[in-house]
């Protein structure tokens, strides 16, 4: 079972939810697809870390063979190639590694080289396998790293938690591609509602089953924007997490709250049971 945890913006509690669900699940896998700013490993502090470079293919020009025909330049829709004074210039930063320019070159003046764009770190924290994607600063896209992350768990049988990047862009779409269920984390503010609406539309487009976790709820709150929106749109509310100082202190110190407090262990265990039932019900409904 692959569970994707996503939110419309950073800071809603996406990592809080995904890390603690993986922790209470026991024999599980945690994948951090937020490759621009991964932070799940700061909570898990995995041991026995193994590192693997992630590379993409970028073109290299042989100036002796290049005849300045501009076929490669005209082909590239991302403007990663430019011909200036009959000299071909390659902009690695915006190359999408499609290889089309090499196919179009009539003189075979273009070949490919590997360019390192980041790495994948794998380790273990208690019984949780922790796999983290890290993109190098300045790179254009983390999608190749996410693809490699998800390929590593393609045959995984343990329950897997995918900590997605914030937002609803292409990098998020790639992260939820193989998910069996999507957990949308939101906070009860006007801005939080706007961002929930974005990811809500995204999971509907991908036809993924979903439910909402409302984080940072106030005990005295009578008019919860997120709760009202979910009720109006018949969206399942999986749980509500209260805005508590104890939770905030533990979380801000990179502690896994379900490992430090029996109260939070019970809360996230209950949430996991609800999600598991939701996935089972969806499977039965569509079987």
């Amino acid at each position: 079972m692959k569970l994707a945890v996503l939110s419309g913006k950073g800071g809603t509690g996406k990592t809080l939810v995904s890390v603690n669900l993986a922790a209470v699940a026991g024999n599980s896998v945690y994948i951090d697809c937020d490759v621009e700013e991964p932070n799940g490993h700061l909570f898990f502090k995995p041991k026995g870390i193994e590192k693997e470079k992630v590379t993409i293919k970028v073109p290299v020009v042989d100036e002796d063979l290049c005849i300045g025909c501009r076929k490669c330049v005209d082909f590239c829709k991302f403007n990663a190639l430019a011909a200036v004074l009959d000299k071909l210039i390659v902009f690695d930063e915006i190359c999408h590694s499609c290889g089309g320019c090499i196919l179009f070159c009539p003189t075979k003046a273009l070949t490919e080289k590997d360019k390192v764009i980041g790495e994948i770190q794998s380790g273990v924290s208690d019984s949780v396998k922790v796999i983290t994607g890290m993109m190098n600063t300045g790179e254009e896209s983390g999608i190749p790293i996410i693809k490699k992350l998800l390929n590593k768990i393609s045959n995984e049988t343990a329950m897997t938690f995918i900590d997605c990047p914030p937002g609803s862009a292409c990098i998020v779409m790639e992260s939820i591609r193989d998910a069996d269920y999507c957990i949308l984390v939101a906070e009860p503010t006007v801005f939080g509602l706007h961002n929930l609406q974005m990811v809500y539309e995204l999971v509907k487009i991908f036809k993924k089953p979903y439910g909402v976790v409302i984080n940072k709820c106030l005990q005295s709150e009578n008019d919860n924007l997120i709760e009202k929106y979910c009720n109006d749109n018949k969206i399942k509310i999986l749980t509500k997490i209260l805005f508590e100082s104890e939770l905030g202190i533990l979380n801000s110190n990179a502690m896994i709250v379900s490992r430090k407090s029996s109260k939070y262990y019970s809360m996230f265990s209950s949430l996991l049971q609800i999600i598991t039932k939701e996935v089972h019900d969806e499977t039965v409904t569509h079987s």
Side-chain angles (χ1 to χ4, degrees):
M1 184 191 304
K2 295 181 175 67
L3 305 174
V5 184
L6 59 160
S7 62
K9 70 178 189 69
T12 58
K14 173 175 55 64
T15 298
L16 167 72
V17 172
S18 54
V19 162
N20 282 280
L21 285 176
V24 299
N27 183 26
S28 62
V29 180
Y30 169 84
I31 303 282
D32 199 340
C33 286
D34 189 2
V35 297
E36 294 182 18
E37 292 185 279
N39 61 344
H41 66 287
L42 300 177
F43 292 85
F44 279 114
K45 303 171 182 62
K47 297 178 180 178
I49 293 177
E50 297 180 357
K51 299 181 180 181
E52 179 184 357
K53 297 294 184 184
V54 180
T55 62
I56 60 172
K57 299 290 186 181
V58 294
V60 179
V61 59
D62 185 334
E63 294 181 4
D64 294 332
L65 295 178
C66 180
I67 59 175
C69 67
R70 293 183 56 89
K71 288 185 178 180
C72 58
V73 176
D74 294 337
F75 168 80
C76 185
K77 302 304 179 187
F78 300 101
N79 298 315
L81 297 160
V84 180
L85 299 176
D86 295 327
K87 183 176 181 179
L88 187 64
I89 301 174
V90 179
F91 300 103
D92 289 357
E93 297 82 4
I94 54 177
C95 175
H96 282 57
S97 306
C98 71
C101 57
I102 294 169
L103 295 175
F104 272 81
C105 182
T107 60
K108 308 299 181 186
L110 289 170
T111 54
E112 289 180 319
K113 70 174 181 178
D114 286 331
K115 177 188 176 184
V116 177
I117 62 168
E119 69 177 22
I120 292 174
Q121 295 185 0
S122 303
V124 177
S125 173
D126 288 353
S127 57
V128 181
K129 186 186 300 182
V130 181
I131 309 175
T132 304
M134 297 182 174
M135 185 171 75
N136 291 344
T137 303
E139 292 300 334
E140 181 70 15
S141 173
I143 289 180
I145 302 175
I146 291 175
K147 285 183 174 179
K148 193 158 189 175
L149 277 169
L150 297 179
N151 284 339
K152 288 178 74 71
I153 60 162
S154 58
N155 297 319
E156 184 63 61
T157 57
M159 187 175 287
T160 301
F161 299 87
I162 303 168
D163 192 348
C164 299
S168 56
C170 298
I171 198 168
V172 181
M173 299 179 198
E174 189 65 37
S175 300
I176 69 171
R177 182 189 62 198
D178 297 326
D180 299 304
Y181 190 85
C182 290
I183 303 161
L184 314 182
V185 183
E187 58 188 16
T189 63
V190 175
F191 192 26
L193 174 58
H194 170 73
N195 287 279
L196 171 63
Q197 290 169 335
M198 291 195 306
V199 290
Y200 171 52
E201 292 299 325
L202 177 66
V203 295
K204 286 200 301 181
I205 290 171
F206 276 76
K207 295 182 172 59
K208 298 290 185 182
Y210 54 85
V212 170
V213 171
I214 309 177
N215 190 26
K216 304 177 186 177
C217 294
L218 298 176
Q219 288 181 325
S220 59
E221 198 169 42
N222 295 319
D223 186 20
N224 189 308
L225 294 171
I226 304 298
E227 189 171 3
K228 184 178 184 304
Y229 178 78
C230 290
N231 291 335
D232 290 345
N233 290 275
K234 296 180 172 58
I235 302 171
K236 173 74 174 181
I237 298 175
L238 300 169
T239 194
K240 294 194 290 184
I241 301 175
L242 292 177
F243 189 61
E244 298 178 324
S245 59
E246 180 188 1
L247 178 61
I249 291 170
L250 288 171
N251 197 53
S252 63
N253 283 287
M255 302 289 185
I256 298 177
V257 298
S258 59
R259 290 180 178 175
K260 295 295 181 180
S261 165
S262 58
K263 177 176 73 173
Y264 295 124
Y265 179 87
S266 297
M267 181 180 74
F268 282 103
S269 295
S270 176
L271 174 58
L272 183 59
Q273 290 175 8
I274 293 169
I275 294 168
T276 304
K277 183 178 184 302
E278 285 290 309
V279 176
H280 177 265
D281 291 348
E282 285 287 339
T283 303
V284 171
T285 301
H286 294 91
S287 61

